[in-house]
Amino acid sequence: MSAPEQPGPGGHDAIAVVDFGGQYAHLIATKVRRQRVLAEVRQPEDPTAAFRGYRGIIISGSPSLSSHGEDSAYNKEIFELPVPILGFCFGHQEIAKRYGGRVIHGGREWGPVDFRRSRPHPLFAGLAESERVWMSHFDSVVEVGPGFEELGTSRLGDGEVHRFAALGSDTLRRYGLQFHPEVDDTLHGDQMIANFVLGICGCRPSWTMARYLEEQLDAIRARAAGQSVFLLASGGVDSTVAALLLGRALGEERLHLLHIDNGLMRQGESQQVLALLRGLGLGRHLHFVDAGDEFLAALAGLVEPEQKRWAIGDTFVRVFQREAERMGLAGHLLGQGTIYPDTIETGGTRRADTIKTHHNRVPIIEEMIARGRVIEPLAELYKVEVRELGESLGIPREVVWRHPFPGPGLGVRALCADGAAPAPGELERLSAEAGAIARPRGLEALGLPVRSVGVKADLRSYERPVLLSGAAPFERLLEVAGEIYQRVAGVNRCALWLGGAPPRSARPLQATLTRERLELLREADAVVMQGLRRHGVHDQVWQCPTVLVPLELDGCGRELVVVRPVLSERAMTARPAELPAALLDELGERLLPLPGVSGLALDLTTKPPGTIEWE
Ligand code: XMP
C-alpha cells in the first residue's frame, strides 16, 4: 500500500475524520490541524469517492452501541482504501469487528485510567510505557481477528485489567484505541495523534492559517461567481472575520454590510460596532437599521426559550430581506459568520440532538442554504481558529479575544415565565432532597419556581434551579452543587445566594421581554463587565452572562440577578469560574439597589448539565 492516488484538498496532505458522534468529531479534526495537517469531517454514509485523496482516515466515537449493531449502515468500502485507518472508541470496536474480532456489551470504563502498551509501537513513539488516558464506553473488544494483536491494556484504580485498550495490524495498517486521545484529559493524546498522522500516514505538515486564508479567498471568489454578498454584521468576532474575508476576496464594491440593532445589544454596542467596522476599512457599503421595536413586537408574550429564539431568528431574516429589497440588493448572496459549533448544537449533523436553535440556523435560512443562496466562509472552523484567523487579518486583539456574545443577545438572558405555581409539593421535595445534601456541609438549599435550559446525556432539558446559601470554599460549593444536580431529579442548575440573609420563599412571576426589563439587564450587564475589567479577571473568564430571573423573594422585588462566569475552550463544555471576593462584594453593592432587583446569585453549574446561557 502506498500514497493515495490523488493529491489531497488544496494540494495538502490531509486526513478524513468520519463523524459518528456529533460532539467529538470536530475535536479530532482540530487536533489533527494542530499538527499542521488539514483534516476534514466526513459523514459515514458519504460515497467512497469523498474519501479519496486523503492520506489516512480516523473514525470517531459514537453514542451508538457497536455490540448491538447500531449505526452499522455506513459505507464499509472505506476499509478497502489503501490508507491507514485509526478508530477511537466506537471506531476502534468497528475496526475490530470488521476484521474478525468480537465486541460485547460490558467492560464499561469511565474517566481517567492507566494505559499500558504491550510493546513499543510507532503509535506510541515518544511516550512512556504507562500513560493516563480518558475512557467513556459501555462496549468492549474481547477478541481480535487474524493478523491483529493487542497493543495495550488499561487498568482502573482498583487494578482490574481491561484487554484490548489498543489493537492493530501493521500489515493492514488498521488500528484502534478504546480511549479518546482527542480530549485534553488524555495527557499525551496530541502525541498519539501526531504519531498516526505524521508517522504512520506520512503526512507532510503544510496547513497553516496563512495558506488557509489564501485558499478561502479563492474559494469565496469561485463560490460568489461574480455576484455580490450582503452580510449581517453583528460586530462579534465571527461576522467581523467573515466580513474581512469577503471584502478581501470580492473587493469593497461587492460587499454590503448590514448591522441591525435588534434592541437586544449591550449598552452603546451598536455605535461601537459601526466604528469598529469603519476602522477596519469596511465602511464603503455599511448600512444600519434600528429595528428594536420590531424585535420587541415579535417577542411580545413569548415565554418558551425555543419560541423566543425562533422569533428573533425570523425577525433578523425579515428585516434583512426588507432592507435588501429597499436598497435593491435582494439578488445578492446572504453572507453569515456561522462557525462549526452553531451547526452542531442546532442538531445540524444528523446524529446530534437540538440543544438550542442558533439564530443563523432557523428554517428560513436553512431553506436559503438549500437553494445555494448563502455563503459561510467560516463554517468549518472552531472559535479558536476563527480568532487565529482574525489576528492574522489584523483585527485588534481586544476584539478578537472579547467574550462571545450570542446572536439573540440579551433576549436569551432575560428569562421569561408564565408565572404558574409548580405542582403542589414539587418544590418542597426539591428543597428537601437538595437540603439533605447541602446541610451536612453547612449550606441551605431552596428549589426555585422557574425553569432554564440545560443539556443532559446529549439531550435538551428544561428544569429547575436550586439556590444554595451559606459560606464555604469555592471547591466545596462546586462539589455540593454537582451532587445536587446529579442526584436530585428535575434539577439542572445550582446558584449561590450572594448578599445578606438568604430568602425563605420565592414566588414565580409572569414575565415576558419588555423594554424595562431589557434596560435593567443592560445596566446590570454593564456593571458586571466593568467589574470584571476593573478586577483584572475579564481575560481569564471565557464568558460571563448576566441573567434576569423573574422571582419575588420573601415578598420583595421582581428580578433575581444571576451572574454566570465560566471557563471553557470550545463552549461545548464549561466550568464555573471563581471570582475574587472583592468583586462579588462590589457587585452586591452596585446591583442590589437597582430598581426591582430581588437578589443576587452566582451560577455554580458546569455544562453539562446546565448550558452556558439560561435559555
Ligand atoms: P450554550 O448556552 O448552548 O451556549 O451553552 C454555548 C455558546 O454559544 C453561545 N450561544 C449562541 N451564539 N447564536 C450564537 O451565535 C445563538 O443563538 C447562541 N446561543 C448561545 C453562548 O453564548 C455560548 O458562548
Side-chain angles (χ1 to χ4, degrees):
M1 290 189 240
S2 58
E5 57 276 39
Q6 301 163 8
H12 297 290
D13 286 352
I15 297 289
V17 176
V18 190
D19 172 11
F20 271 101
Q23 311 282 317
Y24 282 148
H26 73 285
L27 201 49
I28 301 174
T30 305
K31 292 290 174 96
V32 173
R33 289 180 206 175
R34 218 174 263 176
Q35 303 302 326
R36 299 183 51 216
V37 170
L38 177 62
E40 294 187 323
V41 175
R42 293 274 161 260
Q43 295 308 306
E45 52 284 325
D46 281 351
T48 311
F51 289 93
R52 288 202 207 281
Y54 294 103
R55 292 192 74 97
I57 297 175
I58 297 180
I59 305 179
S60 82
S62 164
S64 303
L65 292 176
S66 177
S67 61
H68 289 39
E70 288 174 7
D71 222 342
S72 60
Y74 58 92
N75 179 5
K76 302 227 172 48
E77 273 178 33
I78 58 172
F79 291 115
E80 309 307 325
L81 292 170
V83 294
I85 302 182
L86 172 64
F88 300 157
C89 200
F90 177 85
H92 155 90
Q93 295 155 7
E94 286 298 303
I95 286 175
K97 265 185 3 193
R98 172 76 192 175
Y99 295 97
R102 202 156 64 86
V103 174
I104 59 151
H105 189 56
R108 173 176 189 264
E109 290 167 293
W110 186 258
V113 303
D114 175 29
F115 168 77
R116 288 196 199 168
R117 64 173 192 223
S118 307
R119 66 171 174 88
H121 188 273
L123 203 48
F124 306 119
L127 298 174
E129 248 170 73
S130 166
E131 288 283 338
R132 200 190 87 190
V133 303
W134 195 78
M135 292 280 192
S136 173
H137 66 111
F138 289 109
D139 284 353
S140 307
V141 175
V142 288
E143 216 177 287
V144 289
F148 274 75
E149 61 176 315
E150 178 174 75
L151 291 176
T153 56
S154 58
R155 277 166 184 72
L156 299 178
D158 58 10
E160 190 193 348
V161 174
H162 285 242
R163 304 279 319 266
F164 303 110
L167 55 84
S169 157
D170 289 328
T171 324
L172 293 168
R173 298 197 298 171
R174 300 287 179 263
Y175 303 96
L177 300 176
Q178 178 57 72
F179 53 90
H180 289 270
E182 72 275 26
V183 305
D184 298 324
D185 308 71
T186 293
L187 278 190
H188 298 121
D190 284 5
Q191 180 66 49
M192 297 176 198
I193 289 174
N195 287 341
F196 178 70
V197 168
L198 305 174
I200 293 174
C201 300
C203 290
R204 287 157 307 173
S206 61
W207 191 85
T208 60
M209 242 338 145
R211 286 203 56 177
Y212 178 78
L213 181 59
E214 285 312 311
E215 287 159 23
Q216 279 306 304
L217 296 178
D218 288 343
I220 290 170
R221 286 183 202 111
R223 171 83 182 70
Q227 302 174 81
S228 295
V229 173
F230 194 30
L231 177 94
L232 286 179
S234 68
V237 61
D238 303 342
S239 65
T240 306
V241 171
L244 273 172
L245 269 181
L246 290 164
R248 226 183 246 193
L250 305 176
E252 54 182 10
E253 280 310 321
R254 281 171 63 196
L255 176 64
H256 287 257
L257 299 182
L258 173 64
H259 176 67
I260 301 175
D261 183 349
N262 56 11
L264 308 170
M265 315 276 288
R266 293 183 146 147
Q267 235 169 37
E269 199 169 9
S270 279
Q271 294 320 312
Q272 287 166 19
V273 170
L274 294 174
L276 165 75
L277 294 172
R278 284 196 198 99
L280 289 170
L282 293 167
R284 177 78 185 90
H285 295 299
L286 176 58
H287 312 277
F288 170 71
V289 53
D290 180 350
D293 291 341
E294 205 166 335
F295 279 83
L296 263 187
L299 286 159
L302 298 184
V303 163
E304 214 283 324
E306 276 294 278
Q307 279 184 12
K308 287 171 65 183
R309 285 172 164 270
W310 284 41
I312 294 170
D314 286 352
T315 310
F316 264 120
V317 178
R318 201 172 53 240
V319 173
F320 153 75
Q321 282 175 335
R322 194 180 56 225
E323 290 302 307
E325 249 4 288
R326 203 172 58 77
M327 294 185 279
L329 305 171
H332 287 20
L333 292 169
L334 170 64
Q336 293 204 114
T338 312
I339 63 173
Y340 192 70
D342 298 350
T343 320
I344 284 206
E345 294 213 333
T346 307
T349 66
R350 193 166 55 74
R351 291 164 176 78
D353 189 39
T354 298
I355 309 296
K356 291 177 183 179
T357 302
H358 282 236
H359 67 292
N360 43 20
R361 279 287 175 273
V362 292
I364 310 179
I365 299 268
E366 296 282 12
E367 185 264 332
M368 290 177 74
I369 292 174
R371 283 193 294 118
R373 301 306 303 158
V374 179
I375 184 163
E376 299 184 315
L378 310 178
E380 287 273 310
L381 300 183
Y382 313 98
K383 197 94 195 172
V384 51
E385 294 170 324
V386 173
R387 286 177 158 160
E388 211 179 305
L389 190 57
E391 285 196 328
S392 71
L393 284 165
I395 301 182
R397 242 196 95 74
E398 66 276 13
V399 175
V400 168
W401 288 100
R402 86 166 171 219
H403 292 181
F405 188 62
L410 301 180
V412 290
R413 293 182 177 175
L415 219 70
C416 296
D418 60 10
E426 185 195 342
L427 283 188
E428 288 73 9
R429 174 189 65 81
L430 291 189
S431 301
E433 290 182 20
I437 295 169
R439 230 165 283 125
R441 278 106 136 191
L443 299 166
E444 292 295 325
L446 180 70
L448 294 180
V450 285
R451 288 180 203 281
S452 79
V453 178
V455 51
K456 282 185 169 176
D458 280 339
L459 299 172
R460 179 183 197 266
S461 71
Y462 192 40
E463 297 179 330
R464 304 213 183 269
V466 160
L467 184 66
L468 291 172
S469 52
F474 194 63
E475 283 311 313
R476 171 112 50 88
L477 291 169
L478 294 188
E479 223 176 80
V480 173
E483 221 171 288
I484 290 175
Y485 51 66
Q486 283 183 41
R487 290 196 6 214
V488 182
V491 171
N492 65 0
R493 261 179 215 281
C494 285
L496 176 72
W497 174 256
L498 299 174
R504 266 189 270 256
S505 70
R507 190 168 77 86
L509 300 177
Q510 191 274 339
T512 55
L513 212 58
T514 59
R515 204 175 297 281
E516 295 68 38
R517 293 189 79 208
L518 281 168
E519 276 315 313
L520 175 63
L521 178 54
R522 240 189 286 279
E523 196 168 344
D525 171 71
V527 166
V528 173
M529 297 311 286
Q530 286 157 13
L532 291 175
R533 289 205 175 85
R534 210 179 12 255
H535 287 259
V537 286
H538 177 273
D539 292 353
Q540 287 152 34
V541 168
W542 197 78
Q543 194 178 11
C544 187
T546 299
V547 185
L548 294 186
V549 184
L551 285 173
E552 181 189 276
L553 300 174
D554 287 342
C556 295
R558 297 185 302 275
E559 309 277 5
L560 170 67
V561 177
V562 181
V563 180
R564 168 109 173 101
V566 291
L567 306 173
S568 180
E569 278 82 37
R570 297 178 179 82
M572 305 294 290
T573 57
R575 306 179 298 286
E578 185 170 11
L579 297 183
L583 170 57
L584 295 179
D585 289 346
E586 185 183 304
L587 292 182
E589 280 159 27
R590 299 196 53 193
L591 294 174
L592 290 171
L594 295 180
V597 170
S598 55
L600 175 63
L602 177 73
D603 196 330
L604 296 175
T605 318
T606 55
K607 172 184 180 175
T611 44
I612 295 177
E613 309 288 351
W614 276 48
E615 287 195 328

